[in-house]
Amino acid sequence: MVFSAFSPLLSANFTVCEKTNKFHKTTPTGSNKKRIICSHSSSFSITFCSVIHKSIVPLAASATILLSPDPAKAGFLSGFSGIESVPGPQLPQIEFLNRFNEENQKKYAEADARFKESPLLKKLLEKSKLNKEKNRQEIENKYCLRGAEWGVGDCSAEAMTPEERENFISMLKQKAGVNE
């Protein structure tokens, strides 16, 4: 196990601070060894002490995980299919509620059928199709005009004389509805 490799490090008594002064606390640790807790006012000592104190545990945990020869186990629930696969109990059927539900479903189906056949819906769908075609044509005209002005794309006017080009662009502007 990896703990045996790190046991000398974990049981060693490290003295990070060389001198004991009024800013150090010396605490007995249960054996004859004393542990020095750093509480310096100097920034180097505080930084060094805090780095040592904060980095030893994560370093040891990381090394343990990386050097462990055993693969991770999924746990005792790894073969369990879960509560979702277990069917719930059969609930009692109440005849009154079943009839009420069936009647409501029939009403909703009839209302949907009436709405789908209504002249209002047909009118709105037709309007939507016309608007879609109109919008597509407007966008196409706008991009054609832009391509003619820039000299790129299908509507490019680069091969035309300047007079033909101006006539073509003015025709596209009228078609696109652009007023200058």
Side-chain angles (χ1 to χ4, degrees):
M1 197 72 193
V2 178
F3 285 117
S4 61
F6 287 106
S7 59
L9 291 175
L10 295 175
S11 64
N13 185 17
F14 289 108
T15 303
V16 177
C17 305
E18 295 286 327
K19 295 185 207 173
T20 304
N21 60 22
K22 65 181 180 179
F23 295 108
H24 288 139
K25 287 183 184 175
T26 306
T27 57
T29 59
S31 66
N32 294 343
K33 299 176 184 176
K34 291 184 178 180
R35 187 176 75 180
I36 296 175
I37 300 172
C38 298
S39 60
H40 283 281
S41 62
S42 108
S43 64
F44 173 75
S45 298
I46 291 173
T47 305
F48 187 68
C49 289
S50 65
V51 167
I52 293 297
H53 289 286
K54 290 179 182 177
S55 65
I56 194 87
V57 173
L59 178 66
S62 299
T64 302
I65 291 170
L66 290 174
L67 299 175
S68 176
D70 296 331
K73 303 284 190 260
F76 68 95
L77 292 177
S78 62
F80 185 61
S81 58
I83 195 166
E84 295 86 12
S85 64
V86 179
Q90 184 64 30
L91 297 175
Q93 298 295 322
I94 301 172
E95 188 177 327
F96 166 73
L97 291 178
N98 288 340
R99 278 187 283 122
F100 183 72
N101 190 20
E102 288 173 9
E103 290 172 4
N104 282 341
Q105 292 298 327
K106 286 179 188 176
K107 288 179 187 176
Y108 294 146
E110 290 171 2
D112 286 344
R114 275 196 317 268
F115 180 71
K116 287 179 183 177
E117 297 300 320
S118 72
L120 175 65
L121 180 64
K122 288 181 181 180
K123 179 181 165 186
L124 290 173
L125 287 174
E126 185 64 32
K127 203 176 200 181
S128 176
K129 287 178 187 176
L130 292 174
N131 282 341
K132 182 178 178 181
E133 179 61 29
K134 184 181 108 185
N135 291 339
R136 186 191 64 77
Q137 190 63 43
E138 285 178 1
I139 290 171
E140 197 173 289
N141 290 341
K142 180 178 78 172
Y143 285 122
C144 186
L145 174 63
R146 186 179 296 164
E149 289 174 342
W150 291 354
V152 294
D154 294 337
C155 297
S156 174
E158 286 297 310
M160 298 180 186
T161 64
E163 185 180 316
E164 290 175 335
R165 182 176 182 270
E166 289 299 320
N167 291 337
F168 181 66
I169 290 177
S170 65
M171 187 267 305
L172 287 176
K173 285 182 179 179
Q174 286 177 348
K175 190 175 178 182
V178 176
N179 297 328
E180 275 192 79

